[in-house]
Amino acid sequence: MAKGVNERSSFAVNPEELVKGLPESERTVINVFRKCGPSVAFVTSVMNENEDTSRNRRRRSSRREPLRNETKKDSTVAPRGRSLGSGSGFLVSSDGYLVTNYHVIERAHRMNTAVFNYNENIKDLVTNTTKFFLGSEAGNSKTANEFINKLRNQTVERLSVQSSSPNGKPRATVYVRINSSKQFQECRIVDVKPELDMAVLRIVSEPEAPYPFLKYGSSSDLLVGQTLIAIGNPFGLDQTVTSGVVSATNRPMTGIAGNRIPNCIQTDAAINPGNSGGPLLNSAGELIGINTAILSTSGSNAGIGFAVPSDPVEEAVTIMIQKDRVQKYKRPSPGYLGISVAGDSLAKSLQLKLKSGSKSVENEGLGLFVTGVADDSPAANLGMSQLEITKEEGRIILGDRIVAVGSKIVSTRSDLEEDMKARVEGEQISLTLEDPKGGRRVVYLTLCAKTL
């Protein structure tokens, strides 16, 4: 039977065919969105209420609809309470850790921590007061001790505030919706750093498959005029993409904690309410900042937006996640070598001096320049030497250099950092070192626990 004119037919189109005729600049933005969009989330926090209060609120305002989680695995329903704010966020690990602005979830965090801190203070106050007034009676008899303990416990119970809402949830809950999904997933607040207007979240349920996550770029290498792409949820509009350039670098900005955040990135990429906490990306799709604030007289985009640079964010986030994995999930502590090495800029400068035959640097060689060795560390126990600068002449005297970790050659600091991220406490590794005279040796050491 021949097909009717109105019958529907479908066919697949290669996405690359759709962008083939577009300019390179447009293809760059499209490719970055395709690559990074699935890692961007809508973040919202709400104050939990009991069922009766929620039902009354729905009657008063029929426009408000419950946010339902439609998956069978997780039947969580976003609380039918008051909204405490929303914004954007992004995944930074395959197991469900996200980053957002602190001010996006600030009200939820303050609400939960205020109750906890109050109850802890009440417990300390009652315990100390009981010891002060009845301490002389304690230890006289078993009956006296039982009476004092009972009195203390009853007093604490009566003065304490219930840390959870009547439905058993915390006072406030944070939810995320990833990549325009209709599914809201409950998160817990891992840690916050108001000084950087940054917070780390973790999806409560374990993932069925690894989450796509963003990779960090270097915010210190940005140039004015460089292309930037922002992805977020302005005014609740999921997966909104805007692009612009680096308008300026090293802009100071006052953070949510009232402190000065240095080296912020100024951009003309459109940033509006709801973009807060979303990623600012370079043309390679690497995270170089967190969209945080705008300068505007109307409250909407005026072409002046600011982002917290990724370099300090990456350092803080890495520590928070490592600490949470150790404490919450009983993962092994990260391995610690106990050295610091020269960054790319310093390494290039030293290499140029070496190649030019400058007398200000002695002993040419290969490998990462060791610039510091921590006391009582595995590196110190091996007798590794570090770069030194003479006080009289300002001459640089090189120490050991790291050529390889195991069989892997390391040529940049990021190479070493990436390798060490996978190492854990108690792991034995081998290092190929080159001394100031050019002699090489292979040493073996056991990593200790990294203090978090």
Side-chain angles (χ1 to χ4, degrees):
M1 181 176 177
K3 288 186 177 181
V5 176
N6 294 327
E7 284 191 52
R8 295 181 179 180
S9 60
S10 61
F11 56 92
V13 177
N14 187 344
E16 297 302 323
E17 294 294 327
L18 299 176
V19 301
K20 183 177 293 186
L22 298 178
E24 180 65 28
S25 59
E26 294 183 9
R27 291 204 301 270
T28 297
V29 176
I30 292 171
N31 291 333
V32 168
F33 175 69
R34 287 176 177 172
K35 174 183 176 182
C36 302
S39 303
V40 180
F42 171 73
V43 181
T44 186
S45 57
V46 289
M47 182 175 68
N48 293 309
E49 296 180 339
N50 60 33
E51 188 63 30
D52 292 338
T53 304
S54 178
R55 190 180 297 112
N56 292 335
R57 186 179 299 279
R58 291 198 305 273
R59 289 173 180 173
R60 290 195 301 267
S61 178
S62 59
R63 292 177 298 176
R64 299 195 63 170
E65 295 291 337
L67 304 175
R68 298 187 180 278
N69 185 328
E70 299 178 2
T71 62
K72 295 181 180 179
K73 178 183 177 181
D74 188 354
S75 59
T76 302
V77 177
R80 300 181 177 92
R82 297 180 182 178
S83 173
L84 299 177
S86 61
S88 304
F90 51 92
L91 288 156
V92 291
S93 73
S94 60
D95 53 347
Y97 286 95
L98 302 99
V99 173
T100 186
N101 278 147
Y102 172 61
H103 74 258
V104 171
I105 54 91
E106 178 185 10
R107 295 176 68 189
H109 179 257
R110 290 169 67 93
M111 185 175 293
N112 288 338
T113 54
V115 174
F116 174 81
N117 292 337
Y118 172 81
N119 289 340
E120 288 298 308
N121 290 334
I122 287 295
K123 186 184 298 183
D124 292 341
L125 176 63
V126 172
T127 300
N128 293 334
T129 303
T130 304
K131 288 181 179 179
F132 180 78
F133 287 105
L134 301 176
S136 61
E137 299 297 328
N140 292 340
S141 68
K142 181 179 179 181
T143 303
N145 285 329
E146 291 178 351
F147 170 76
I148 292 173
N149 290 333
K150 183 177 180 181
L151 177 63
R152 181 180 65 244
N153 294 337
Q154 288 179 345
T155 306
V156 169
E157 183 178 353
R158 291 188 179 185
L159 294 179
S160 295
V161 175
Q162 187 176 1
S163 60
S164 60
S165 60
N167 60 11
K169 287 185 172 293
R171 291 281 175 172
T173 304
V174 178
Y175 279 74
V176 298
R177 190 177 66 211
I178 300 173
N179 191 25
S180 296
S181 171
K182 295 181 179 180
Q183 173 187 359
F184 280 84
Q185 300 185 74
E186 182 179 346
C187 288
R188 59 182 177 84
I189 301 173
V190 174
D191 204 351
V192 300
K193 194 174 183 64
E195 296 81 5
L196 290 175
D197 195 6
M198 180 268 292
V200 174
L201 311 174
R202 174 45 156 93
I203 297 174
V204 172
S205 59
E206 293 299 320
E208 294 182 352
Y211 289 107
F213 61 94
L214 300 182
K215 294 185 177 180
Y216 292 96
S218 175
S219 57
S220 60
D221 295 338
L222 290 176
L223 301 175
V224 174
Q226 188 172 334
T227 299
L228 297 178
I229 298 112
I231 307 177
N233 306 282
F235 303 105
L237 300 173
D238 291 352
Q239 297 288 291
T240 298
V241 182
T242 57
S243 62
V245 298
V246 178
S247 302
T249 58
N250 302 321
R251 293 290 199 202
M253 186 180 70
T254 302
I256 193 73
N259 65 295
R260 182 177 178 273
I261 304 176
N263 304 322
C264 289
I265 305 161
Q266 180 184 332
T267 180
D268 66 345
I271 297 175
N272 287 290
N275 273 116
S276 291
L280 188 63
L281 308 160
N282 60 20
S283 56
E286 298 171 329
L287 177 75
I288 53 86
I290 305 178
N291 298 319
T292 300
I294 58 174
L295 185 61
S296 172
T297 57
S298 64
S300 297
N301 176 61
I304 303 177
F306 299 96
V308 177
S310 62
D311 289 353
V313 168
E314 180 182 10
E315 181 180 357
V317 169
T318 300
I319 293 173
M320 290 178 181
I321 292 177
Q322 288 178 342
K323 185 175 180 180
D324 188 64
R325 284 171 173 162
V326 172
Q327 295 180 348
K328 183 75 174 179
Y329 301 103
K330 308 303 179 185
R331 303 274 183 89
S333 296
Y336 179 58
L337 180 56
I339 63 166
S340 55
V341 298
D344 294 343
S345 298
L346 177 57
K348 289 179 181 178
S349 177
L350 291 172
Q351 291 290 0
L352 286 174
K353 289 180 179 295
L354 291 172
K355 291 179 180 179
S356 64
S358 173
K359 294 183 179 180
S360 62
V361 177
E362 291 189 350
N363 306 322
E364 183 175 357
L366 299 173
L368 300 180
F369 299 96
V370 177
T371 58
V373 179
D375 294 336
D376 299 324
S377 66
N381 294 335
L382 280 174
M384 288 180 62
S385 61
Q386 66 185 50
L387 177 149
E388 295 181 358
I389 301 177
T390 60
K391 294 181 180 180
E392 295 80 10
E393 303 175 5
R395 188 174 53 183
I396 300 174
I397 301 177
L398 302 179
D400 286 324
R401 273 171 275 187
I402 301 176
V403 178
V405 180
S407 59
K408 182 180 178 182
I409 301 295
V410 287
S411 56
T412 65
R413 182 169 65 179
S414 60
D415 290 341
L416 179 63
E417 291 174 346
E418 284 298 318
D419 184 272
M420 292 304 298
K421 284 180 181 179
R423 307 291 183 176
V424 297
E425 174 190 8
E427 184 175 354
Q428 293 183 332
I429 64 172
S430 63
L431 298 177
T432 302
L433 304 178
E434 183 173 292
D435 62 29
K437 295 182 179 180
R440 291 194 179 183
R441 67 189 189 276
V442 177
V443 297
Y444 299 87
L445 53 83
T446 301
L447 300 175
C448 66
K450 182 178 181 180
T451 303
L452 301 174

